[in-house]
RNA sequence: GCCCCCGUAGCUCAGCGGAGAGAGCGAAGGACUUCUAAUCCUUUGGUCGCAGGUUCGAGUCCUGCCGGGGGCACCA
């Protein structure tokens, strides 16, 4: 019996108990909460249903819980039901019923953990969106890993997800980038406000290789040549490193295209007509304060040029035109001020501000010997996505970025880049998968025929550690659903660690394969099914994080 | 000044209102002739920043303080 089925059983039973006593069944919550108590003495599962409902029924929680316990104990699937504490109802499943979780996981296979909570929703998920003026830094690496995992998780809940990267390839930053390239091509130092990393010289050299006459072109043409080729090279570089990181996007959107296509002007005109913009001090302002922003924002500057937000507005309109009913933006904490204006942009077009969801992630800091190290281009302490991958590999890099909440700032230790370390919990999880795969291989080599899981006697899985492992497997669908609902992929990573732990402990205690010449027993078969179920969940979970599930380590 | 995030074991961090608060790392000691020891088992370790409030019940929700980080442009 899966937790979801148990919740249904408890509710059905409660409805029955109340109605036979002539009590109001509407006092019951729509969904019954089933949790796994920390303390094993409190049963396999517990529900606070009686605590929640007793007051509305004018009963004492313990009295209500007692009635429920009595009725539930009649059920075959429930081995024990008892009232505890202020009115908790602690439940133990019959081993046979618990085995259904193993069946559910094996029968669903790759689909185990998928849900329908977001079925029919079309979601635009924008993340990374780092400026094309340099390689992806550690901050962008975090969003690449978390955003990609979130995209997978949302899709697993049935959403149609479009992953999108917004290139800010218009405006002053690009100018600085281009001037830096030209300076490097001439062998001059970077401009005061320019970029000075080694990659600038590399790109400048590549521009000259492709367009040997670039430097001798007249001013504007020269600038354009370096812009066109240089920015293109930077795009390719960014896409390539993200691809190698396991993160691909459906749409790479170029801000510049909004300006050249006239989308920005059209959006601005539309908002002028609707009154969302007003003219003051020679500029056009968005009434963003009406939508929760702390001040109105200039959209068209007094020199007639669009401000940065003009691109955001046109971009939102473009997304809206593509039919998304939810636009998620993942931004760094240094962009927290954007929330109000992005929602204002939506509201200005008459959309529900809730169709814009801004996820703010905290910064990534470099640490050495416990002390913070400032990332500085001049000091050469800028760490890029590629640096991290070169040092620890894609799996470990992704995993370490995903496993903590984005609400917490993340410290990356520079020692990672000099010391080889297996401390990353990703190896613990992957090792569990490799062990599982190994056991399945051994079983195959022994010629053990597992048969259909439907026919196996999973009621033989009665060891404490077996129960623990099975119930952990049973949690998986709810964990994925919660991670999607809260947009928190780290919950899935933490869950996989607990699953790996339950697996390793089980492995240590419960031998699955027959030894020597022993005959294959039904218990061997049941345990091998459990092994395969755990393997399935680890593989599904790691897949949702974009981390590989190795067959061997 | 205003806004957002954080404050939990020596360190890094989990803990979407539930019952002696958890993991990893660190420290001390154990377990491999048998399915992978990248594992497992002991032990060590805590005023959950402080003070109020809501609740049958608060690390979790609310308010106010105190620390740390980030943000408050006709820059992008």
């Amino acid at each position: 019996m899966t937790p979801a089925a148990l919740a249904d059983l408890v509710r059905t039973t409660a409805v029955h108990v109340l109605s036979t006593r002539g009590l109001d069944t509407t006092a019951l919550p729509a969904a019954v909460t089933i949790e796994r108590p920390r303390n094993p003495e409190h049963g396999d599962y517990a529900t606070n249903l009686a605590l929640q409902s007793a007051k509305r029924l004018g009963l004492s929680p313990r009295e209500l819980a007692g009635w429920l316990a009595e009725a539930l104990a009649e059920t075959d699937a429930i081995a024990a039901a008892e009232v505890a504490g202020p009115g908790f109802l602690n439940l133990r499943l019959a081993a046979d019923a618990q085995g259904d979780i193993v069946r559910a996981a094996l029968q669903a296979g790759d689909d185990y953990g998928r849900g329908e909570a977001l079925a029919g929703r079309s979601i635009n998920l924008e993340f990374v969106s780092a400026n094309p003026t340099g390689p992806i830094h550690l901050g962008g690496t975090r969003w690449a890993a978390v955003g990609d995992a979130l995209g997978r998780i949302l899709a697993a809940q049935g959403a149609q997800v479009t992953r999108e990267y917004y290139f800010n390839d218009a405006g002053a930053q690009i100018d600085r980038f281009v001037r830096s390239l030209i300076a490097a091509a001439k062998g001059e130092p970077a401009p005061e406000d320019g970029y000075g990393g080694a990659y600038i010289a590399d790109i400048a050299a590549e521009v000259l290789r492709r367009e040997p006459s670039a430097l001798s072109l007249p001013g504007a043409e020269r600038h354009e040549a370096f812009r066109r080729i240089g920015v293109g090279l930077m795009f390719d570089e960014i896409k390539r490193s993200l691809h190698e990181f396991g993160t691909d996007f459906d749409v790479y959107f170029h801000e510049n295209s909004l300006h050249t296509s006239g989308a920005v002007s059209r959006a601005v005109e539309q908002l002028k007509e609707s009154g969302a913009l007003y003219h003051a001090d020679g500029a056009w302002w968005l009434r963003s304060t009406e939508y929760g922003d702390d001040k109105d924002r200039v959209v068209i500057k007094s020199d007639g040029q669009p401000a940065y937000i003009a691109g955001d507005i046109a971009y939102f309109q473009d997304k809206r035109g593509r039919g998304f009913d939810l636009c998620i933006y993942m931004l760094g904490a240094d962009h927290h001020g954007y929330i109000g204006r992005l929602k204002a942009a939506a509201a200005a077009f008459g959309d529900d501000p809730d169709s814009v969801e801004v996820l703010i992630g905290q910064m990534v800091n470099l640490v050495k010997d416990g002390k913070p190290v400032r990332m500085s281009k001049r000091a050469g302490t800028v760490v890029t996505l590629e640096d991290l991958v070169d040092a620890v590999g894609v799996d470990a890099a992704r995993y370490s970025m995903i496993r903590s909440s984005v609400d917490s700032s993340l410290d990356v230790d520079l020692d990672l880049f000099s010391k080889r370390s297996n401390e990353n919990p990703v190896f613990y999880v992957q090792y569990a998968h490799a062990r599982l795969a190994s056991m399945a291989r051994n079983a195959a080599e022994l010629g053990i025929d597992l048969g259909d899981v439907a026919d196996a006697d999973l009621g033989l899985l009665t060891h404490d550690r077996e129960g623990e492992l099975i119930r952990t497997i049973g949690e998986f669908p709810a964990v994925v659903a919660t991670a999607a609902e809260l947009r928190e992929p780290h919950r899935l990573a933490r869950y996989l660690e607990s699953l790996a732990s339950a697996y390793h402990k089980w492995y240590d205690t419960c031998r699955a394969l027959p030894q020597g010449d022993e005959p294959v027993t039904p218990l061997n078969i049941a345990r091998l099914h459990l092994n395969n179920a755990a393997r399935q969940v680890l593989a599904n979970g790691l897949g949702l994080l974009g981390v590989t599930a190795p067959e061997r380590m």
Side-chain angles (χ1 to χ4, degrees), chain A residues 43-279:
Chain A
D44 299 336
Y45 294 99
T47 178
N48 58 3
L49 181 63
L51 283 163
Q52 285 181 323
S53 319
K55 199 179 226 175
R56 262 174 288 179
L57 291 161
L59 300 167
S60 88
R62 285 191 63 99
E63 184 178 23
L64 176 57
W67 296 345
L68 291 173
E70 204 175 320
L72 282 166
E74 299 291 308
T75 315
D76 287 344
I78 306 292
E82 52 195 39
V83 180
F88 289 105
L89 186 53
N90 295 337
L91 304 169
R92 276 178 218 284
L93 288 185
D96 199 31
Q98 190 164 254
D100 287 348
I101 293 171
V102 174
R103 278 193 196 92
L106 286 172
Q107 286 167 352
D110 292 345
D111 286 336
Y112 185 63
R114 299 185 69 88
E116 297 298 319
L118 296 172
R121 301 268 286 177
S122 178
I123 299 177
N124 183 282
L125 178 63
E126 184 196 326
F127 58 110
V128 185
S129 295
N131 292 322
T133 54
I136 305 282
H137 292 30
L138 278 186
T141 306
R142 188 178 196 182
W143 314 136
V146 175
D148 183 66
L150 180 59
R152 294 167 192 250
I153 291 167
L154 295 174
Q157 289 298 303
Q160 186 74 42
V161 178
T162 295
R163 300 127 176 284
E164 194 144 329
Y165 188 128
Y166 184 55
F167 275 120
N168 300 129
D169 56 351
Q173 278 187 119
I174 292 294
D175 276 349
R176 285 206 286 273
F177 175 66
V178 172
R179 282 187 281 109
S180 305
L181 289 180
I182 293 173
K186 289 179 180 167
E188 294 171 0
E192 188 69 16
D193 57 354
Y195 301 90
Y199 67 95
I200 291 286
D202 295 343
I203 291 175
E206 182 61 20
V207 172
L208 286 180
R209 200 185 65 77
R210 296 191 183 194
E211 188 76 53
S213 61
L215 270 183
S216 39
L217 293 168
E221 285 175 45
R222 180 174 66 191
H223 191 277
E224 174 54 21
F226 273 90
R227 191 200 64 78
R228 180 172 48 78
I229 302 172
V231 170
L233 288 168
M234 202 68 247
F235 282 157
D236 293 343
E237 176 73 14
I238 287 172
K239 284 185 209 172
R240 188 186 55 72
S241 58
L242 285 169
H243 174 73
E244 286 170 7
F245 192 56
T247 300
D248 291 296
F249 292 82
D250 300 301
V251 176
Y252 290 91
F253 200 98
H254 294 251
E255 181 192 0
N256 200 32
S257 71
L258 292 169
H259 296 283
T260 55
S261 71
V264 169
S265 333
R266 281 196 301 277
V268 167
E269 285 312 311
Q270 189 180 329
L271 293 183
K272 280 182 185 171
E273 280 172 30
S274 70
L277 297 186
Y278 63 93
H279 194 76

Side-chain angles (χ1 to χ4, degrees), chain A residues 500-520:
Chain A
S501 169
Y503 175 74
H504 285 308
K505 286 174 186 181
W506 171 73
Y507 179 94
D508 191 62
T509 315
C510 299
R511 188 182 171 92
L513 293 173
Q515 302 194 63
D517 297 332
E518 289 175 4
V520 178

Side-chain angles (χ1 to χ4, degrees), chain A residues 245 388-398:
Chain A
F245 192 56
L388 185 62
V389 168
D390 287 347
V392 302
V394 170
D395 285 340
R398 285 182 70 102

Side-chain angles (χ1 to χ4, degrees), chain A residues 349-473:
Chain A
F349 286 114
D351 282 358
D352 182 352
D354 287 343
S355 69
V356 166
E357 191 175 305
V358 184
L359 307 179
I360 295 296
Q362 300 301 309
M363 314 304 278
V364 179
N365 306 307
L366 267 189
V367 169
K368 179 156 181 64
D369 300 327
K371 278 173 285 188
V373 179
R374 264 191 69 116
M375 275 201 238
S376 151
K377 287 179 181 171
R378 280 187 202 83
T381 51
V382 171
V383 176
T384 67
L385 186 159
E386 293 203 31
D387 294 336
L388 185 62
V389 168
D390 287 347
V392 302
V394 170
D395 285 340
R398 285 182 70 102
Y399 193 86
S400 60
M401 294 285 149
I402 293 171
R403 79 182 288 269
S404 38
S405 162
V406 295
D407 284 342
S408 297
S409 59
L410 185 67
D411 291 341
V412 171
D413 196 324
L414 267 178
D415 287 343
L416 279 177
F417 298 88
S418 50
K419 274 192 287 190
R420 218 186 120 73
S421 166
N422 280 351
E423 281 173 22
N424 194 315
V426 74
F427 299 119
Y428 182 78
V429 178
Q430 289 185 314
Y431 180 57
H433 186 270
R435 268 184 151 178
L436 290 150
S438 172
M439 197 192 300
R441 277 195 306 272
N442 293 338
E445 273 173 29
L446 290 172
I448 297 175
D449 178 14
L450 289 186
D452 194 315
V453 67
D455 304 326
D457 185 1
L458 301 176
L460 296 171
L461 302 173
T462 55
H463 193 282
D464 279 352
R465 289 189 173 177
E466 257 152 4
E468 181 66 23
L469 178 57
I470 294 169
R471 289 189 292 277
T472 304
I473 288 170

